Amino acid sequence: MRNKLALDKNKYTIETKSGDLDVALQDDMVFMEQNKPEFFKTLSKTDIAKCFDIDVVCKNLPIVIGSTGLHDIMLPVKSFEILEAMTPNFNEISSVSQKFNVIGIHAFCLNQERIACRNFAPLYDIPEESATGTSNCVLAGYLWQNNIRKSEYIFEQGYTTGSPSEIIVRLTTNGDDISKVLVGGRGYLVGEICNVDLQ
């Protein structure tokens, strides 16, 4: 909207079901504030064993339910190759989502250079999402909590759906505590947008 409609401010507020959230324009990127991440139940490998066609779980990190407003299962995967190749069982993921009252499963793999993700929420008619801001905010908090600490995380998503995205999450911290979470990135316009009255 800034590119097409010449927005004249660098800060806005958006009303969501999770509350009023700040939106900030920084250079060619847009960031939205999120609720601070919270973490709940730790799951076992057997809880999600039927959700994928192969054994995917990385044993070095826990499987945890987390939220910045929407609950998701954070699922660490063994390798980038497995993350890309694994085939979801949407019926099983829906059943697990119902059982644990979550939106879906946010699967990820990382090394020192990159973090890649896949997000599955078939219970809400989203077989696989190409860019998931809320889940990646939870993932940033999860990584921080597990001593993989950065002030800015860059998450790759959407490559398996043909819609690659790069989601940036910035954390403001005070010691071990996260005090603020921003998620954003660069947007690209495909096609035309409708007329919008911003008054």
Side-chain angles (χ1 to χ4, degrees):
M1 291 195 320
R2 180 179 63 177
N3 291 344
K4 288 290 182 179
L5 302 173
L7 302 183
D8 57 0
K9 296 191 295 183
N10 288 325
K11 188 174 180 180
Y12 293 86
T13 301
I14 186 170
E15 296 179 11
T16 76
K17 290 183 179 180
S18 298
D20 293 347
L21 302 175
D22 289 336
V23 177
L25 283 65
Q26 300 175 6
D27 300 321
D28 63 339
M29 294 189 287
V30 179
F31 285 90
M32 183 167 67
E33 185 177 5
Q34 296 286 298
N35 295 322
K36 291 186 285 188
E38 297 180 274
F39 297 95
F40 306 96
K41 185 178 177 65
T42 298
L43 306 186
S44 70
K45 182 178 175 178
T46 55
D47 288 322
I48 57 89
K50 296 180 181 178
C51 291
F52 302 97
D53 61 329
I54 50 178
D55 179 14
V56 303
V57 180
C58 171
K59 297 177 182 178
N60 297 330
L61 290 167
I63 305 168
V64 174
I65 295 173
S67 173
T68 57
L70 300 172
H71 290 61
D72 276 294
I73 296 170
M74 298 293 110
L75 174 63
V77 175
K78 291 178 181 180
S79 70
F80 293 109
E81 292 77 17
I82 289 175
L83 181 69
E84 183 177 346
M86 65 189 197
T87 301
N89 181 324
F90 294 126
N91 289 333
E92 287 295 335
I93 294 173
S94 293
S95 296
V96 167
S97 299
Q98 284 182 313
K99 178 179 179 180
F100 293 107
N101 195 26
V102 298
I103 298 296
I105 294 177
H106 197 63
F108 69 93
C109 184
L110 75 160
N111 60 22
Q112 291 184 341
E113 287 78 38
R114 60 187 289 240
I115 309 168
C117 313
R118 295 180 69 184
N119 187 280
F120 308 99
L123 185 62
Y124 293 89
D125 296 322
I126 306 170
E128 182 168 357
E129 193 165 26
S130 297
T132 318
T134 53
S135 300
N136 281 307
C137 285
V138 176
L139 179 53
Y142 168 100
L143 295 174
W144 179 269
Q145 191 177 65
N146 284 279
N147 293 311
I148 303 167
R149 296 191 167 181
K150 301 180 180 184
S151 58
E152 180 177 282
Y153 297 87
I154 300 175
F155 301 108
E156 301 172 13
Q157 194 178 331
Y159 286 83
T160 53
T161 64
S163 298
S165 62
E166 185 178 85
I167 301 107
I168 300 169
V169 177
R170 293 177 176 169
L171 300 181
T172 303
T173 57
N174 182 11
D176 289 337
D177 297 326
I178 297 170
S179 56
K180 190 171 185 178
V181 182
L182 295 173
V183 62
R186 296 170 178 86
Y188 298 93
L189 180 64
V190 178
E192 293 298 321
I193 60 174
C194 61
N195 291 324
V196 178
D197 182 1
L198 298 176
Q199 302 302 319

